Amino acid sequence: MRLKAALMLLAGLLAATETIAADKTMIVLDASGSMWGQIDGRTKIDIARETLGTVLKSVPVGTELGLMVYGHREKGSCSDIELAVPPGAGTENAITAFVNGINPKGKTPLSQSVEQAADILKYTEEKATVVLVTDGLETCEADPCALASALEKKGVDFTTHVVGFGLTEDEGKQVACLAENTGGKYFQASDAAQLVAALTETVAEAPMAKPRQEEVAVAEPEPAPAVEFNAEFDSVLSEGGPSLGDNNEVAWQIYKAGADGKPTGDTVETQYKGQYSGNYPPGKYVAVVALQGASKREIPFEVKDGAVAKPFVNFDAGLLVVTPKRTPQDAEGDGEAAVQIVFGGDSTTGYGTTKQYVPAGEVTVNGTIGPTKVSETFAVKAGETLQHDLVIGSGTVLNKAVYAEGGPAVDSGEVFFEVVEAKKAIDGTRKSVAYNYGTGTKIDVPTGDLVLTAKLGSATGEVPISLKAGEMKEVVVNLNAGVLAISAPGGNFIEVLSATKDIQGNQKSMSYNYGTEWQDTLPPGDYVVRVKYEGDRAPKEGKATVKAGERAEITVQ
């Protein structure tokens, strides 16, 4: 028996010298709100989804990849960072699926994301690579250059590659240090083709690391155990149901049992499988088992010489698959819909088609697309896979604006588009429904009668709208405005006033600015430009006329 074990060990070690093991790589993806920006008429997030899906198909077998995402769950949060897919072999489909469900909305904590990725990869103990794809600069008061130097100093063999997606050359220089200070590369990706090339080089064609020579040294033969494995773990969804087998949503954490029978000390081992076998020294243990991060169980067991312990757990749960749709006829789930599944004392939120194991019993599902919300409650049976379509009746407005009827289009990221209710309150105001900034952006809206308003500078316009569920409509708002550009050499305060006075003799102030120059978008009409100066110098005024769709310039001196 000892000879057989020694031969098996030697064969395994010889095989290891012929095997090339993959480095661990973490893709860190920017999902901040700016990913809704467009390149060649397509949003950056759509380009990233398609590009990653293509590149990951060519990843060599055995490559250990993970995915970390930031800015996809909360607006204005610097802690919105999620380990979406733990690093491992064969994760390409899981990464693609998660990216397809992302809804960009938050800030850009890229430094903290890279640091967390390095920690997860155990960069102080093992070789580790991070590939950062960002379309923006750090917005959370961190120094990426200083971080890179610290990671390089502490890491065993740590490298960060940075892909600046849509960044300018100057912006790229501010994040390139993350790569340069760790021995990595910076890639400028201005379109889909360049993004494919960058990800192919850093992910699909990343060099594989061969095992070190000392790792294949022949070990001393060990006595064979009395049994091949002394612990066999298994789990099911329901009584009498099939084993969960290789299902990696089942997490086993093995602890030694304390005097009170509870888990104590550090974990002895962690496994992500529904069923597996292991060997442990004789003693009492506790297995803490969780299904998809919830439905936790504590299973005590004892390992004895010559015997096989068989820890077993019945989760008494089912698999719920929720597909959010704008209409019942939609063939696929809407990737921009947020789906919250509430079960027992837990809840989970995903985007697009969301899968979650839930305890048997009542489950509440909440769906959100922009301001449109729905909620449904129903029962899930143990052992079943329940496919549920969640219809969230919502339409989409594509925002456009022009300065004048048939006149020039407004191409500005400063236009404030807001959808409000058609009905006015008693004071004449309308309730806000949703909003966004920038021409060419979109707003998800409920069905029914609404009004799309647009504001740029001191000019506003509005258009009544009515959309059906699933309908996408381009709406153009006429601002009926022109641009007035003012130069006031030597001045320190510029104010634009209406030329017409009210009954009290007052002129309406339209806008103002401190300095020698000011530009505003104004409704057509006559205006007075008043300039004030420092010291005893008297104010001066000039007259200007603004026409819709035209630019007027005036110098007051």
Side-chain angles (χ1 to χ4, degrees):
M1 190 68 178
R2 289 171 60 89
L3 178 59
K4 181 179 178 181
L7 290 173
M8 290 176 65
L9 176 61
L10 179 58
L13 291 170
L14 288 173
T17 65
E18 300 173 0
T19 301
I20 297 179
D23 294 339
K24 288 186 177 180
T25 299
M26 184 77 77
I27 301 171
V28 176
L29 180 63
D30 185 342
S32 61
S34 56
M35 286 292 280
W36 286 119
Q38 294 190 357
I39 293 178
D40 297 332
R42 298 182 61 200
T43 63
K44 296 177 188 176
I45 186 61
D46 283 341
I47 296 173
R49 288 169 179 159
E50 180 180 324
T51 300
L52 268 175
T54 300
V55 172
L56 290 177
K57 291 177 182 177
S58 60
V59 169
V61 175
T63 302
E64 295 193 34
L65 285 179
L67 175 69
M68 178 167 283
V69 181
Y70 61 79
H72 61 298
R73 295 175 298 189
E74 300 178 52
K75 293 183 178 179
S77 172
C78 286
S79 60
D80 182 13
I81 303 170
E82 179 180 6
L83 174 60
V85 180
T91 58
E92 294 83 11
N93 289 339
I95 292 174
T96 299
F98 192 91
V99 172
N100 286 342
I102 287 174
N103 181 29
K105 61 179 62 176
K107 301 190 75 172
T108 308
L110 62 86
S111 300
Q112 187 179 353
S113 300
V114 170
E115 185 174 17
Q116 288 188 23
D119 289 336
I120 291 170
L121 294 173
K122 299 181 179 179
Y123 79 106
T124 61
E125 305 171 20
E126 303 171 2
K127 183 174 182 177
T129 301
V130 170
V131 178
L132 170 66
V133 181
T134 179
D135 84 320
L137 304 180
E138 174 68 57
T139 60
C140 289
E141 298 184 359
D143 184 347
C145 300
L147 170 67
S149 299
L151 294 175
E152 176 68 12
K153 183 177 181 181
K154 296 179 183 178
V156 171
D157 189 355
F158 179 73
T159 304
T160 300
H161 301 300
V162 179
V163 181
F165 185 31
L167 296 182
T168 65
E169 183 177 348
D170 288 339
E171 289 171 336
K173 292 177 181 178
Q174 298 181 53
V175 293
C177 58
L178 265 171
E180 296 165 353
N181 292 359
T182 60
K185 292 184 178 180
Y186 174 73
F187 299 83
Q188 187 81 19
S190 300
D191 54 30
Q194 292 178 356
L195 183 60
V196 168
L199 291 175
T200 299
E201 182 172 342
T202 56
V203 178
E205 298 177 356
M208 309 291 278
K210 295 185 177 180
R212 295 188 299 270
Q213 185 66 34
E214 59 266 23
E215 293 176 339
V216 297
V218 177
E220 291 293 327
E222 294 291 337
V227 292
E228 186 175 5
F229 296 105
N230 60 14
E232 295 179 353
F233 303 82
D234 201 1
S235 60
V236 295
L237 284 180
S238 61
E239 188 68 34
S243 169
L244 287 170
D246 290 331
N247 191 323
N248 61 10
E249 296 290 358
V250 182
W252 298 82
Q253 290 183 300
I254 310 304
Y255 295 86
K256 289 185 177 181
D260 57 357
K262 296 292 184 181
T264 185
D266 296 330
T267 54
V268 176
E269 184 177 24
T270 299
Q271 288 282 348
Y272 292 91
K273 285 184 177 180
Q275 180 186 50
Y276 79 99
S277 301
N279 277 309
Y280 303 93
K284 293 183 177 182
Y285 297 85
V286 178
V288 178
V289 198
L291 179 60
Q292 205 172 3
S295 302
K296 285 191 177 182
R297 304 282 194 278
E298 289 189 6
I299 311 298
F301 66 97
E302 185 174 1
V303 174
K304 299 179 181 179
D305 287 329
V308 179
K310 296 188 176 183
F312 177 83
V313 58
N314 172 15
F315 285 108
D316 189 33
L319 176 60
L320 177 59
V321 182
V322 179
T323 303
K325 299 180 177 181
R326 296 185 185 233
T327 73
Q329 294 75 34
D330 291 348
E332 298 180 354
D334 192 309
E336 296 180 13
V339 176
Q340 181 190 43
I341 302 175
V342 182
F343 50 95
D346 293 303
S347 69
T348 185
T349 299
Y351 288 88
T353 299
T354 302
K355 300 179 180 180
Q356 178 67 42
Y357 288 101
V358 297
E362 192 173 86
V363 175
T364 297
V365 177
N366 302 314
T368 303
I369 300 178
T372 306
K373 303 179 186 295
V374 297
S375 182
E376 296 180 11
T377 300
F378 46 86
V380 177
K381 298 177 182 178
E384 79 168 332
T385 297
L386 179 59
Q387 304 274 354
H388 184 80
D389 287 351
L390 185 66
V391 179
I392 312 169
S394 175
T396 303
V397 174
L398 299 179
N399 307 310
K400 301 285 184 180
V402 293
Y403 285 103
E405 190 69 34
V410 179
D411 183 13
S412 172
E414 297 180 4
V415 184
F416 177 65
F417 289 97
E418 184 176 23
V419 175
V420 296
E421 292 183 349
K423 185 179 180 180
K424 294 182 179 181
I426 192 170
D427 61 357
T429 61
R430 295 187 178 109
K431 183 179 179 181
S432 177
V433 175
Y435 62 87
N436 207 339
Y437 283 90
T439 303
T441 57
K442 62 183 181 178
I443 302 177
D444 290 312
V445 299
T447 57
D449 295 330
L450 300 163
V451 174
L452 175 65
T453 69
K455 178 177 174 59
L456 179 62
S458 300
T460 60
E462 63 178 48
V463 175
I465 57 174
S466 180
L467 282 84
K468 300 176 183 178
E471 181 181 10
M472 180 178 288
K473 182 184 295 184
E474 181 178 277
V475 180
V476 180
V477 181
N478 179 8
L479 292 175
N480 187 32
V483 175
L484 176 60
I486 304 163
S487 176
N492 72 336
F493 181 78
I494 301 171
E495 185 176 16
V496 180
L497 303 102
S498 172
T500 304
K501 297 181 180 181
D502 63 17
I503 195 170
Q504 299 292 335
N506 299 317
Q507 294 169 285
K508 181 181 178 181
S509 176
M510 304 299 294
S511 65
Y512 60 87
N513 186 52
Y514 289 91
T516 60
E517 293 184 348
W518 177 230
Q519 178 172 297
D520 193 13
T521 304
L522 296 158
D526 296 325
Y527 296 93
V528 172
V529 178
R530 182 173 296 159
V531 178
K532 294 182 180 180
Y533 303 86
E534 292 184 351
D536 296 332
R537 187 176 175 181
K540 290 187 176 182
E541 292 185 351
K543 295 181 179 181
T545 299
V546 173
K547 296 181 180 180
E550 297 184 10
R551 177 183 179 87
E553 296 182 351
I554 181 176
T555 299
V556 180
Q557 58 184 357

PDB file of all heavy atoms in Angstrom, residues 361-392:
ATOM      1  N   GLY A 361     -41.415  28.658   0.588  1.00  0.00           N
ATOM      2  CA  GLY A 361     -42.379  29.532   1.241  1.00  0.00           C
ATOM      3  C   GLY A 361     -42.596  30.794   0.449  1.00  0.00           C
ATOM      4  O   GLY A 361     -42.322  30.869  -0.757  1.00  0.00           O
ATOM      5  N   GLU A 362     -43.090  31.813   1.130  1.00  0.00           N
ATOM      6  CA  GLU A 362     -43.475  33.064   0.470  1.00  0.00           C
ATOM      7  C   GLU A 362     -42.253  33.913   0.123  1.00  0.00           C
ATOM      8  O   GLU A 362     -41.339  34.083   0.923  1.00  0.00           O
ATOM      9  CB  GLU A 362     -44.411  33.848   1.381  1.00  0.00           C
ATOM     10  CG  GLU A 362     -45.100  35.008   0.700  1.00  0.00           C
ATOM     11  CD  GLU A 362     -46.143  35.651   1.587  1.00  0.00           C
ATOM     12  OE1 GLU A 362     -45.772  36.536   2.376  1.00  0.00           O
ATOM     13  OE2 GLU A 362     -47.325  35.244   1.515  1.00  0.00           O
ATOM     14  N   VAL A 363     -42.283  34.451  -1.094  1.00  0.00           N
ATOM     15  CA  VAL A 363     -41.201  35.295  -1.602  1.00  0.00           C
ATOM     16  C   VAL A 363     -41.819  36.562  -2.199  1.00  0.00           C
ATOM     17  O   VAL A 363     -42.858  36.494  -2.855  1.00  0.00           O
ATOM     18  CB  VAL A 363     -40.375  34.565  -2.684  1.00  0.00           C
ATOM     19  CG1 VAL A 363     -39.345  35.497  -3.294  1.00  0.00           C
ATOM     20  CG2 VAL A 363     -39.697  33.346  -2.099  1.00  0.00           C
ATOM     21  N   THR A 364     -41.176  37.705  -1.965  1.00  0.00           N
ATOM     22  CA  THR A 364     -41.620  38.962  -2.578  1.00  0.00           C
ATOM     23  C   THR A 364     -40.562  39.423  -3.578  1.00  0.00           C
ATOM     24  O   THR A 364     -39.362  39.424  -3.280  1.00  0.00           O
ATOM     25  CB  THR A 364     -41.839  40.049  -1.515  1.00  0.00           C
ATOM     26  OG1 THR A 364     -42.889  39.644  -0.634  1.00  0.00           O
ATOM     27  CG2 THR A 364     -42.236  41.370  -2.171  1.00  0.00           C
ATOM     28  N   VAL A 365     -41.028  39.791  -4.765  1.00  0.00           N
ATOM     29  CA  VAL A 365     -40.128  40.262  -5.814  1.00  0.00           C
ATOM     30  C   VAL A 365     -40.494  41.696  -6.163  1.00  0.00           C
ATOM     31  O   VAL A 365     -41.654  41.989  -6.490  1.00  0.00           O
ATOM     32  CB  VAL A 365     -40.225  39.367  -7.069  1.00  0.00           C
ATOM     33  CG1 VAL A 365     -39.332  39.921  -8.170  1.00  0.00           C
ATOM     34  CG2 VAL A 365     -39.834  37.943  -6.742  1.00  0.00           C
ATOM     35  N   ASN A 366     -39.523  42.597  -6.068  1.00  0.00           N
ATOM     36  CA  ASN A 366     -39.723  44.010  -6.410  1.00  0.00           C
ATOM     37  C   ASN A 366     -38.909  44.332  -7.658  1.00  0.00           C
ATOM     38  O   ASN A 366     -37.721  44.007  -7.736  1.00  0.00           O
ATOM     39  CB  ASN A 366     -39.263  44.914  -5.260  1.00  0.00           C
ATOM     40  CG  ASN A 366     -40.000  44.617  -3.966  1.00  0.00           C
ATOM     41  OD1 ASN A 366     -41.218  44.469  -3.957  1.00  0.00           O
ATOM     42  ND2 ASN A 366     -39.267  44.508  -2.865  1.00  0.00           N
ATOM     43  N   GLY A 367     -39.561  44.960  -8.633  1.00  0.00           N
ATOM     44  CA  GLY A 367     -38.874  45.323  -9.865  1.00  0.00           C
ATOM     45  C   GLY A 367     -38.905  46.818 -10.095  1.00  0.00           C
ATOM     46  O   GLY A 367     -39.910  47.477  -9.821  1.00  0.00           O
ATOM     47  N   THR A 368     -37.781  47.364 -10.608  1.00  0.00           N
ATOM     48  CA  THR A 368     -37.679  48.806 -10.826  1.00  0.00           C
ATOM     49  C   THR A 368     -36.982  49.095 -12.147  1.00  0.00           C
ATOM     50  O   THR A 368     -35.905  48.552 -12.414  1.00  0.00           O
ATOM     51  CB  THR A 368     -36.881  49.477  -9.693  1.00  0.00           C
ATOM     52  OG1 THR A 368     -37.490  49.190  -8.438  1.00  0.00           O
ATOM     53  CG2 THR A 368     -36.834  50.981  -9.886  1.00  0.00           C
ATOM     54  N   ILE A 369     -37.606  49.920 -12.967  1.00  0.00           N
ATOM     55  CA  ILE A 369     -36.952  50.507 -14.141  1.00  0.00           C
ATOM     56  C   ILE A 369     -37.166  52.005 -14.036  1.00  0.00           C
ATOM     57  O   ILE A 369     -38.281  52.497 -14.224  1.00  0.00           O
ATOM     58  CB  ILE A 369     -37.529  49.978 -15.466  1.00  0.00           C
ATOM     59  CG1 ILE A 369     -37.355  48.462 -15.582  1.00  0.00           C
ATOM     60  CG2 ILE A 369     -36.856  50.680 -16.648  1.00  0.00           C
ATOM     61  CD1 ILE A 369     -37.941  47.872 -16.858  1.00  0.00           C
ATOM     62  N   GLY A 370     -36.113  52.734 -13.692  1.00  0.00           N
ATOM     63  CA  GLY A 370     -36.258  54.173 -13.465  1.00  0.00           C
ATOM     64  C   GLY A 370     -37.273  54.411 -12.364  1.00  0.00           C
ATOM     65  O   GLY A 370     -37.209  53.812 -11.288  1.00  0.00           O
ATOM     66  N   PRO A 371     -38.289  55.241 -12.603  1.00  0.00           N
ATOM     67  CA  PRO A 371     -39.285  55.519 -11.569  1.00  0.00           C
ATOM     68  C   PRO A 371     -40.429  54.500 -11.538  1.00  0.00           C
ATOM     69  O   PRO A 371     -41.291  54.572 -10.676  1.00  0.00           O
ATOM     70  CB  PRO A 371     -39.814  56.903 -11.968  1.00  0.00           C
ATOM     71  CG  PRO A 371     -39.656  56.932 -13.450  1.00  0.00           C
ATOM     72  CD  PRO A 371     -38.420  56.140 -13.761  1.00  0.00           C
ATOM     73  N   THR A 372     -40.440  53.562 -12.488  1.00  0.00           N
ATOM     74  CA  THR A 372     -41.529  52.581 -12.552  1.00  0.00           C
ATOM     75  C   THR A 372     -41.212  51.407 -11.634  1.00  0.00           C
ATOM     76  O   THR A 372     -40.144  50.800 -11.743  1.00  0.00           O
ATOM     77  CB  THR A 372     -41.723  52.072 -13.986  1.00  0.00           C
ATOM     78  OG1 THR A 372     -41.894  53.185 -14.855  1.00  0.00           O
ATOM     79  CG2 THR A 372     -42.929  51.165 -14.074  1.00  0.00           C
ATOM     80  N   LYS A 373     -42.141  51.101 -10.723  1.00  0.00           N
ATOM     81  CA  LYS A 373     -41.910  50.044  -9.742  1.00  0.00           C
ATOM     82  C   LYS A 373     -43.107  49.092  -9.700  1.00  0.00           C
ATOM     83  O   LYS A 373     -44.255  49.528  -9.822  1.00  0.00           O
ATOM     84  CB  LYS A 373     -41.694  50.634  -8.339  1.00  0.00           C
ATOM     85  CG  LYS A 373     -40.550  51.640  -8.254  1.00  0.00           C
ATOM     86  CD  LYS A 373     -40.420  52.196  -6.844  1.00  0.00           C
ATOM     87  CE  LYS A 373     -39.371  53.303  -6.788  1.00  0.00           C
ATOM     88  NZ  LYS A 373     -38.017  52.800  -7.070  1.00  0.00           N
ATOM     89  N   VAL A 374     -42.829  47.803  -9.519  1.00  0.00           N
ATOM     90  CA  VAL A 374     -43.881  46.806  -9.316  1.00  0.00           C
ATOM     91  C   VAL A 374     -43.434  45.862  -8.199  1.00  0.00           C
ATOM     92  O   VAL A 374     -42.240  45.739  -7.910  1.00  0.00           O
ATOM     93  CB  VAL A 374     -44.183  45.994 -10.592  1.00  0.00           C
ATOM     94  CG1 VAL A 374     -44.703  46.880 -11.692  1.00  0.00           C
ATOM     95  CG2 VAL A 374     -42.948  45.235 -11.046  1.00  0.00           C
ATOM     96  N   SER A 375     -44.397  45.191  -7.580  1.00  0.00           N
ATOM     97  CA  SER A 375     -44.091  44.234  -6.511  1.00  0.00           C
ATOM     98  C   SER A 375     -45.075  43.077  -6.595  1.00  0.00           C
ATOM     99  O   SER A 375     -46.285  43.294  -6.774  1.00  0.00           O
ATOM    100  CB  SER A 375     -44.185  44.920  -5.141  1.00  0.00           C
ATOM    101  OG  SER A 375     -43.844  44.005  -4.112  1.00  0.00           O
ATOM    102  N   GLU A 376     -44.550  41.863  -6.481  1.00  0.00           N
ATOM    103  CA  GLU A 376     -45.388  40.670  -6.500  1.00  0.00           C
ATOM    104  C   GLU A 376     -44.933  39.711  -5.411  1.00  0.00           C
ATOM    105  O   GLU A 376     -43.739  39.610  -5.127  1.00  0.00           O
ATOM    106  CB  GLU A 376     -45.318  39.982  -7.863  1.00  0.00           C
ATOM    107  CG  GLU A 376     -45.861  40.817  -9.011  1.00  0.00           C
ATOM    108  CD  GLU A 376     -45.783  40.097 -10.345  1.00  0.00           C
ATOM    109  OE1 GLU A 376     -45.505  38.864 -10.330  1.00  0.00           O
ATOM    110  OE2 GLU A 376     -45.985  40.733 -11.389  1.00  0.00           O
ATOM    111  N   THR A 377     -45.900  39.010  -4.807  1.00  0.00           N
ATOM    112  CA  THR A 377     -45.610  38.017  -3.764  1.00  0.00           C
ATOM    113  C   THR A 377     -46.233  36.687  -4.166  1.00  0.00           C
ATOM    114  O   THR A 377     -47.392  36.634  -4.593  1.00  0.00           O
ATOM    115  CB  THR A 377     -46.168  38.467  -2.411  1.00  0.00           C
ATOM    116  OG1 THR A 377     -45.563  39.721  -2.043  1.00  0.00           O
ATOM    117  CG2 THR A 377     -45.878  37.443  -1.327  1.00  0.00           C
ATOM    118  N   PHE A 378     -45.454  35.618  -4.041  1.00  0.00           N
ATOM    119  CA  PHE A 378     -45.944  34.285  -4.404  1.00  0.00           C
ATOM    120  C   PHE A 378     -45.119  33.249  -3.638  1.00  0.00           C
ATOM    121  O   PHE A 378     -44.175  33.600  -2.901  1.00  0.00           O
ATOM    122  CB  PHE A 378     -45.840  34.052  -5.913  1.00  0.00           C
ATOM    123  CG  PHE A 378     -44.526  34.462  -6.509  1.00  0.00           C
ATOM    124  CD1 PHE A 378     -43.439  33.610  -6.528  1.00  0.00           C
ATOM    125  CD2 PHE A 378     -44.365  35.744  -7.030  1.00  0.00           C
ATOM    126  CE1 PHE A 378     -42.228  33.997  -7.068  1.00  0.00           C
ATOM    127  CE2 PHE A 378     -43.154  36.150  -7.573  1.00  0.00           C
ATOM    128  CZ  PHE A 378     -42.085  35.259  -7.590  1.00  0.00           C
ATOM    129  N   ALA A 379     -45.460  31.975  -3.800  1.00  0.00           N
ATOM    130  CA  ALA A 379     -44.801  30.892  -3.049  1.00  0.00           C
ATOM    131  C   ALA A 379     -43.853  30.115  -3.942  1.00  0.00           C
ATOM    132  O   ALA A 379     -44.106  29.924  -5.135  1.00  0.00           O
ATOM    133  CB  ALA A 379     -45.848  29.953  -2.451  1.00  0.00           C
ATOM    134  N   VAL A 380     -42.740  29.664  -3.350  1.00  0.00           N
ATOM    135  CA  VAL A 380     -41.776  28.798  -4.023  1.00  0.00           C
ATOM    136  C   VAL A 380     -41.700  27.483  -3.255  1.00  0.00           C
ATOM    137  O   VAL A 380     -41.620  27.483  -2.022  1.00  0.00           O
ATOM    138  CB  VAL A 380     -40.378  29.453  -4.083  1.00  0.00           C
ATOM    139  CG1 VAL A 380     -39.372  28.504  -4.717  1.00  0.00           C
ATOM    140  CG2 VAL A 380     -40.431  30.763  -4.859  1.00  0.00           C
ATOM    141  N   LYS A 381     -41.742  26.380  -3.981  1.00  0.00           N
ATOM    142  CA  LYS A 381     -41.703  25.051  -3.350  1.00  0.00           C
ATOM    143  C   LYS A 381     -40.275  24.528  -3.292  1.00  0.00           C
ATOM    144  O   LYS A 381     -39.453  24.831  -4.157  1.00  0.00           O
ATOM    145  CB  LYS A 381     -42.580  24.072  -4.129  1.00  0.00           C
ATOM    146  CG  LYS A 381     -44.052  24.449  -4.176  1.00  0.00           C
ATOM    147  CD  LYS A 381     -44.834  23.457  -5.035  1.00  0.00           C
ATOM    148  CE  LYS A 381     -46.301  23.848  -5.130  1.00  0.00           C
ATOM    149  NZ  LYS A 381     -47.066  22.915  -6.005  1.00  0.00           N
ATOM    150  N   ALA A 382     -39.992  23.710  -2.269  1.00  0.00           N
ATOM    151  CA  ALA A 382     -38.668  23.108  -2.127  1.00  0.00           C
ATOM    152  C   ALA A 382     -38.380  22.207  -3.319  1.00  0.00           C
ATOM    153  O   ALA A 382     -39.231  21.418  -3.742  1.00  0.00           O
ATOM    154  CB  ALA A 382     -38.586  22.309  -0.833  1.00  0.00           C
ATOM    155  N   GLY A 383     -37.185  22.317  -3.870  1.00  0.00           N
ATOM    156  CA  GLY A 383     -36.753  21.461  -4.962  1.00  0.00           C
ATOM    157  C   GLY A 383     -37.140  21.946  -6.344  1.00  0.00           C
ATOM    158  O   GLY A 383     -36.621  21.436  -7.339  1.00  0.00           O
ATOM    159  N   GLU A 384     -38.036  22.935  -6.456  1.00  0.00           N
ATOM    160  CA  GLU A 384     -38.483  23.373  -7.783  1.00  0.00           C
ATOM    161  C   GLU A 384     -37.618  24.510  -8.315  1.00  0.00           C
ATOM    162  O   GLU A 384     -36.988  25.254  -7.566  1.00  0.00           O
ATOM    163  CB  GLU A 384     -39.941  23.806  -7.745  1.00  0.00           C
ATOM    164  CG  GLU A 384     -40.172  25.203  -7.195  1.00  0.00           C
ATOM    165  CD  GLU A 384     -41.597  25.720  -7.441  1.00  0.00           C
ATOM    166  OE1 GLU A 384     -42.210  25.299  -8.429  1.00  0.00           O
ATOM    167  OE2 GLU A 384     -42.073  26.524  -6.620  1.00  0.00           O
ATOM    168  N   THR A 385     -37.594  24.609  -9.640  1.00  0.00           N
ATOM    169  CA  THR A 385     -37.026  25.777 -10.311  1.00  0.00           C
ATOM    170  C   THR A 385     -38.190  26.558 -10.892  1.00  0.00           C
ATOM    171  O   THR A 385     -38.864  26.088 -11.817  1.00  0.00           O
ATOM    172  CB  THR A 385     -36.053  25.371 -11.425  1.00  0.00           C
ATOM    173  OG1 THR A 385     -34.940  24.665 -10.856  1.00  0.00           O
ATOM    174  CG2 THR A 385     -35.531  26.600 -12.166  1.00  0.00           C
ATOM    175  N   LEU A 386     -38.457  27.730 -10.335  1.00  0.00           N
ATOM    176  CA  LEU A 386     -39.611  28.522 -10.730  1.00  0.00           C
ATOM    177  C   LEU A 386     -39.168  29.670 -11.631  1.00  0.00           C
ATOM    178  O   LEU A 386     -38.400  30.540 -11.215  1.00  0.00           O
ATOM    179  CB  LEU A 386     -40.326  29.074  -9.496  1.00  0.00           C
ATOM    180  CG  LEU A 386     -41.554  29.959  -9.754  1.00  0.00           C
ATOM    181  CD1 LEU A 386     -42.621  29.199 -10.534  1.00  0.00           C
ATOM    182  CD2 LEU A 386     -42.124  30.479  -8.443  1.00  0.00           C
ATOM    183  N   GLN A 387     -39.633  29.639 -12.879  1.00  0.00           N
ATOM    184  CA  GLN A 387     -39.363  30.718 -13.832  1.00  0.00           C
ATOM    185  C   GLN A 387     -40.499  31.733 -13.734  1.00  0.00           C
ATOM    186  O   GLN A 387     -41.659  31.395 -13.946  1.00  0.00           O
ATOM    187  CB  GLN A 387     -39.297  30.159 -15.255  1.00  0.00           C
ATOM    188  CG  GLN A 387     -38.289  29.043 -15.455  1.00  0.00           C
ATOM    189  CD  GLN A 387     -36.900  29.567 -15.754  1.00  0.00           C
ATOM    190  OE1 GLN A 387     -36.699  30.775 -15.918  1.00  0.00           O
ATOM    191  NE2 GLN A 387     -35.929  28.668 -15.834  1.00  0.00           N
ATOM    192  N   HIS A 388     -40.166  32.981 -13.409  1.00  0.00           N
ATOM    193  CA  HIS A 388     -41.211  33.987 -13.196  1.00  0.00           C
ATOM    194  C   HIS A 388     -40.904  35.240 -14.004  1.00  0.00           C
ATOM    195  O   HIS A 388     -39.832  35.835 -13.866  1.00  0.00           O
ATOM    196  CB  HIS A 388     -41.309  34.346 -11.713  1.00  0.00           C
ATOM    197  CG  HIS A 388     -42.430  35.305 -11.404  1.00  0.00           C
ATOM    198  ND1 HIS A 388     -43.735  34.903 -11.286  1.00  0.00           N
ATOM    199  CD2 HIS A 388     -42.429  36.652 -11.227  1.00  0.00           C
ATOM    200  CE1 HIS A 388     -44.498  35.960 -11.023  1.00  0.00           C
ATOM    201  NE2 HIS A 388     -43.721  37.036 -10.989  1.00  0.00           N
ATOM    202  N   ASP A 389     -41.850  35.628 -14.873  1.00  0.00           N
ATOM    203  CA  ASP A 389     -41.717  36.878 -15.624  1.00  0.00           C
ATOM    204  C   ASP A 389     -42.309  38.022 -14.802  1.00  0.00           C
ATOM    205  O   ASP A 389     -43.461  37.955 -14.362  1.00  0.00           O
ATOM    206  CB  ASP A 389     -42.459  36.782 -16.960  1.00  0.00           C
ATOM    207  CG  ASP A 389     -41.737  35.889 -17.952  1.00  0.00           C
ATOM    208  OD1 ASP A 389     -40.599  35.496 -17.670  1.00  0.00           O
ATOM    209  OD2 ASP A 389     -42.328  35.570 -19.004  1.00  0.00           O
ATOM    210  N   LEU A 390     -41.509  39.063 -14.581  1.00  0.00           N
ATOM    211  CA  LEU A 390     -41.949  40.235 -13.828  1.00  0.00           C
ATOM    212  C   LEU A 390     -42.122  41.392 -14.815  1.00  0.00           C
ATOM    213  O   LEU A 390     -41.134  41.911 -15.343  1.00  0.00           O
ATOM    214  CB  LEU A 390     -40.922  40.590 -12.755  1.00  0.00           C
ATOM    215  CG  LEU A 390     -41.286  41.730 -11.805  1.00  0.00           C
ATOM    216  CD1 LEU A 390     -42.471  41.327 -10.929  1.00  0.00           C
ATOM    217  CD2 LEU A 390     -40.091  42.107 -10.939  1.00  0.00           C
ATOM    218  N   VAL A 391     -43.357  41.769 -15.075  1.00  0.00           N
ATOM    219  CA  VAL A 391     -43.623  42.815 -16.065  1.00  0.00           C
ATOM    220  C   VAL A 391     -43.594  44.184 -15.393  1.00  0.00           C
ATOM    221  O   VAL A 391     -44.363  44.456 -14.471  1.00  0.00           O
ATOM    222  CB  VAL A 391     -44.992  42.583 -16.747  1.00  0.00           C
ATOM    223  CG1 VAL A 391     -45.263  43.697 -17.753  1.00  0.00           C
ATOM    224  CG2 VAL A 391     -45.020  41.221 -17.432  1.00  0.00           C
ATOM    225  N   ILE A 392     -42.668  45.026 -15.862  1.00  0.00           N
ATOM    226  CA  ILE A 392     -42.503  46.386 -15.331  1.00  0.00           C
ATOM    227  C   ILE A 392     -42.796  47.341 -16.480  1.00  0.00           C
ATOM    228  O   ILE A 392     -41.923  47.651 -17.291  1.00  0.00           O
ATOM    229  CB  ILE A 392     -41.077  46.613 -14.791  1.00  0.00           C
ATOM    230  CG1 ILE A 392     -40.649  45.450 -13.880  1.00  0.00           C
ATOM    231  CG2 ILE A 392     -40.969  47.932 -14.048  1.00  0.00           C
ATOM    232  CD1 ILE A 392     -39.178  45.476 -13.517  1.00  0.00           C
TER     233      ILE A 392
END
